[in-house]
Amino acid sequence: QVQLVESGGGLVQAGGSLRLSCAASGRTFSSYYMGWFRQAPGKEREFVAALSGSGSFADYADSVKGRFIISKDNAKNTVYLQMNSLKLEDTCVYYCTEAKLFYRLRYTSSYDYWGPGTQITVSS
């Protein structure tokens, strides 16, 4: 059974930075794409970033491109999301997820395991 646990959330001022971590267990971490999604109250869960198993391919939502960086450490079975230049609209619950497919990675249907989520609140 795959387990994903996010950490690193919290309160930050606009323009600041945070790094999220997601520790994974349960199957060969380096074989699967990993993703980060986020969800604001009353809105659908949206794609943030995805990273290939080897870490060689990354994809980002336009809203975070140039500000967020997804990376992973296969030796630690951990994926990270470095978030810089945070904006008020980045306030969401952020979810780590592991893919079951190697395509359509911007869609929640391509993922089968999810962490419980961690809250990021950006204040003015």
Side-chain angles (χ1 to χ4, degrees), residues 3 6 12 21-22 25 38 43-44 48 63 65-66 72 78 83-84 86-87 116 120 122-123:
Q3 289 189 320
E6 304 95 341
V12 62
S21 300
C22 173
S25 63
R38 66 186 185 184
K43 294 189 176 181
E44 291 188 355
V48 175
S63 59
K65 195 173 294 183
K72 65 184 325 200
T78 301
M83 304 184 293
N84 302 318
L86 283 160
K87 304 176 180 180
I120 303 297
V122 183
S123 64

Side-chain angles (χ1 to χ4, degrees), residues 62-75:
D62 288 346
S63 59
V64 306
K65 195 173 294 183
R67 300 189 297 123
F68 290 11
I69 301 172
I70 186 171
S71 62
K72 65 184 325 200
D73 185 336
N74 284 336

Side-chain angles (χ1 to χ4, degrees), residues 11-17 84-90 121-124:
L11 177 66
V12 62
Q13 284 193 323
S17 298
N84 302 318
S85 302
L86 283 160
K87 304 176 180 180
L88 296 179
E89 53 264 41
D90 294 320
T121 302
V122 183
S123 64
S124 58

Side-chain angles (χ1 to χ4, degrees), residues 30-49:
S30 60
S31 297
Y32 295 89
Y33 274 78
M34 299 295 295
W36 288 95
F37 282 70
R38 66 186 185 184
Q39 188 169 19
K43 294 189 176 181
E44 291 188 355
R45 195 167 294 188
E46 65 174 13
F47 171 76
V48 175

